[in-house]
Amino acid sequence: MSVESNPLLAAFAEETEATPVDLTRLRARIRSAESEASAGWFGLTRGLALGGTGVLAVAAAAFMVLPGLGEPQPLAASFAAGSSTPVEVAPGVVMTADGAGELSGTETAPRLAWASGAVDVSVEPGAGLDVQVVTDEGVVRVVGTVFRVERDALGTTVSVSRGKVAVECVGGSEQFVTADQSTTCLPTTAAGLLGRARALPSGTASVLDAVDSGLGLQPDAAIRTELSALRVDHLARTGQIDAAISAAASHLAAADSGRRAEVARIGATLAYQRDACASVGPFLSELPDEELAASALSACQDAPGTGR
Amino acid sequence: MHEADPRAECRDASGAEGRTPAPRDWDAVRRGDRLAIDALCENWLPTVLQWCRRLAGPRVDPDHAAQEVFLVVLRRVHTVHRPEQLPSWMFSVTRRVLAQHRRRAWVRKWMPGEAPEVADPHADPSRHTERRQTALQVQAILLQMPEDLRAVLVLCDVEGRTDPEAAELLGLKVGTAKSRLRRARQRFKDLCIREGLAPHQRGG
């Protein structure tokens, strides 16, 4: 594709690409605007501050209703980091946001497209409100509860303080989360899963899950290198010696893999610990000469089958 | 610096295009069947939003513009006679809406009080900061180009459409689209040099 020939335009293309959150926000905006038009609303846009001092960008559209029409009012507002003041965005719906997101929908069906940071949502039970929070990783649907949605490198975490919410992660089925429970929708891209793997405490089993899920998405060489190297490191740290050696050999077998010396060092060290020079062969050729000469592995250079 | 493609033509299509409806679906669209129109809009959401982001001018909210494009689509799509005409119609509606938004933004500039800044629609922690910075610089350069050159460059070199596709969307002959693309690439290159924005400076 021609965009690949120009990194400037390729960066522009990627940066302006529409994400699922963008599309959700746009759908909600179209529906609101359409219902406004068909119900005979007069659009009267005015600034409406949501939140306290330090709110970077909050512009809400309020609409005047024609007499006699009882249609719910459309919502449109942006949240930016820097505020933690509770805001009643619609009757019975209070949001305390510290992060970035876009509010749309109507006052009885608010839709929050949440991009980053944390938002606490309180919904009055039994008021017939249909509240949804959408992120790249999933959708949270609620009818009357108090909950928090937090989006960071680990994914989107939904914690419920009171009531019950339905969470549907992208590519997964709907699950219910009740009071004092939480659930996390994982990132859906290889880069996102790499971010998650790095953000998790080192040595936990979830690291390997995130790495393997990322590799399963067949990412480009740069991301694959990082995931694969992280896999080797994780297996070595958790004492899975055979698996680590095998993973290191697989990493080096891919011609376009980076981090070769680093991975070879781990593979050679583990192979040498396990059975001396017998299986260090695949790793020696990737190590710098000086490093090799100064280590015990130098004794393996002349061993049969080491390939160096 | 990026060299203009000596072949001066678009290459493979990006595949991002909304699909042309099947004849039966198109009949339903023309009859005003709401489900069929919704399905058509759904197909075109990403393409139109991306057009708005890539072609909008300063102080134009691309989300708002895309919303207006679809309101026009909902009202007027039944006036398109054949499904093959849909892509160029959709693109011309987008360009018209963006032109209106640019005019309004221009007027706002002269109104008392500063026009509100548009909220950053892309605030996402997974986005790469350097890439974002580069994209903003590219956008600033694109906005210095005449709209007709910007449109053909975006269609071909950002979205990867072929010459005939770009010509169809722009309502031009293929030869005209090609020569316009050559001029657009040269202008983009000149502006990049003037602004000191060369690919090798970004590790490209």
Side-chain angles (χ1 to χ4, degrees):
Chain A
M1 206 163 75
S2 63
V3 289
E4 288 167 7
S5 68
N6 186 331
L8 296 174
L9 292 173
F12 180 67
E14 285 183 37
E15 193 63 31
T16 50
E17 204 168 312
T19 68
V21 170
D22 300 329
L23 298 179
T24 302
R25 185 174 59 218
L26 180 56
R27 279 185 208 102
R29 286 184 73 142
I30 294 166
R31 279 190 213 111
S32 294
E34 196 194 4
S35 65
E36 168 201 343
S38 61
W41 297 87
F42 279 132
L44 177 65
T45 307
R46 66 169 190 256
L48 177 66
L50 298 183
T53 56
V55 177
L56 181 64
V58 177
F63 297 87
M64 187 171 73
V65 190
L66 280 174
L69 290 177
E71 294 293 326
Q73 294 190 29
L75 301 171
S78 300
F79 289 101
S83 171
S84 55
T85 308
V87 179
E88 187 165 25
V89 297
V93 183
V94 176
M95 293 184 178
T96 310
D98 186 4
E102 288 273 341
L103 182 68
S104 59
T106 66
E107 61 182 3
T108 55
R111 300 286 180 263
L112 179 64
W114 194 243
S116 64
V119 58
D120 292 300
V121 183
S122 172
V123 182
E124 184 184 329
L129 298 165
D130 169 22
V131 181
Q132 290 187 17
V133 181
V134 184
T135 72
D136 273 355
E137 286 88 25
V139 180
V140 185
R141 296 185 185 84
V142 59
V143 182
T145 189
V146 178
F147 67 103
R148 161 177 274 234
V149 177
E150 193 165 6
R151 183 158 191 250
D152 56 19
L154 294 176
T156 295
T157 301
V158 181
S159 312
V160 177
S161 305
R162 191 181 70 214
K164 184 165 83 168
V165 301
V167 179
E168 185 178 350
C169 297
V170 170
S173 55
E174 193 174 67
Q175 59 176 312
F176 291 100
V177 183
T178 53
D180 299 324
Q181 290 182 336
S182 68
T183 188
T184 300
C185 293
L186 304 186
T188 53
T189 63
L193 287 160
L194 173 62
R196 174 177 163 79
R198 284 177 172 164
L200 285 165
S202 176
T204 56
S206 304
V207 173
L208 200 56
D209 290 340
V211 165
D212 286 344
S213 298
L215 288 170
L217 296 174
Q218 302 183 331
D220 61 28
I223 300 287
R224 195 182 66 241
T225 286
E226 297 302 316
L227 286 165
S228 172
L230 193 55
R231 187 170 203 280
V232 173
D233 179 72
H234 173 82
L235 292 168
R237 282 174 190 270
T238 52
Q240 301 175 69
I241 306 301
D242 291 344
I245 294 170
S246 169
S250 298
H251 181 96
L252 297 173
D256 57 353
S257 287
R259 294 183 176 267
R260 300 186 73 83
E262 182 188 325
V263 170
R265 194 173 297 122
I266 297 173
T269 306
L270 295 176
Y272 188 77
Q273 284 171 1
R274 189 180 64 180
D275 40 24
C277 292
S279 53
V280 297
F283 307 114
L284 295 188
S285 62
E286 301 288 348
L287 293 175
D289 290 340
E290 319 79 62
E291 183 180 333
L292 187 59
S295 77
L297 293 167
S298 61
C300 302
Q301 280 183 289
D302 301 323
T306 54
R308 182 161 178 130
Chain B
M1 172 52 52
H2 164 63
E3 292 296 328
D5 186 339
R7 287 170 295 178
E9 61 181 13
C10 298
R11 282 171 264 176
D12 297 337
S14 66
E17 187 86 326
R19 291 191 302 274
T20 303
R24 197 175 59 183
D25 295 335
W26 183 247
D27 288 343
V29 167
R30 296 213 62 207
R31 283 199 313 272
D33 180 320
R34 187 51 202 250
L35 285 177
I37 294 173
D38 279 353
L40 182 142
C41 288
E42 186 65 30
N43 275 339
W44 280 90
L45 275 181
T47 305
V48 169
L49 181 56
Q50 285 165 186
W51 281 342
C52 290
R53 284 181 175 173
R54 291 165 182 168
L55 297 169
R59 290 173 181 262
V60 170
D61 177 356
D63 286 16
H64 189 200
Q67 169 194 322
E68 278 195 21
V69 168
F70 281 102
L71 292 180
V72 173
V73 171
L74 290 168
R75 283 199 312 269
R76 307 283 301 160
V77 69
H78 67 276
T79 64
V80 181
H81 294 295
R82 296 196 309 275
E84 312 86 77
Q85 297 171 325
L86 186 63
S88 59
W89 182 78
M90 200 70 89
F91 191 60
S92 67
V93 169
T94 305
R95 287 177 89 184
R96 276 200 299 274
V97 168
L98 286 173
Q100 287 168 1
H101 277 245
R102 274 192 290 272
R103 280 195 292 275
R104 282 183 219 153
W106 187 86
V107 170
R108 270 204 308 274
K109 208 166 64 168
W110 306 104
M111 301 282 276
E114 196 179 352
E117 289 294 328
V118 173
D120 180 357
H122 314 308
D124 182 331
S126 64
R127 302 266 176 162
H128 195 282
T129 309
E130 188 180 7
R131 188 185 71 189
R132 176 160 175 65
Q133 188 60 32
T134 304
L136 288 172
Q137 289 175 294
V138 170
Q139 186 166 43
I141 285 174
L142 289 174
L143 292 175
Q144 295 177 47
M145 296 172 62
E147 200 273 341
D148 57 342
L149 299 188
R150 183 162 76 229
V152 73
L153 192 73
V154 164
L155 290 175
C156 292
D157 284 1
V158 175
E159 302 192 344
R161 293 171 197 276
T162 61
D163 282 333
E165 285 171 345
E168 187 191 338
L169 287 170
L170 293 162
L172 299 172
K173 291 179 179 169
V174 175
T176 310
K178 277 185 179 181
S179 65
R180 191 176 287 184
L181 177 61
R182 268 196 299 275
R183 283 193 288 130
R185 282 174 171 160
Q186 187 59 48
R187 181 69 68 91
F188 182 73
K189 180 183 170 183
D190 293 344
L191 287 168
C192 282
I193 291 170
R194 199 179 76 186
E195 301 291 331
L197 184 63
H200 62 81
Q201 290 175 327
R202 300 279 161 196

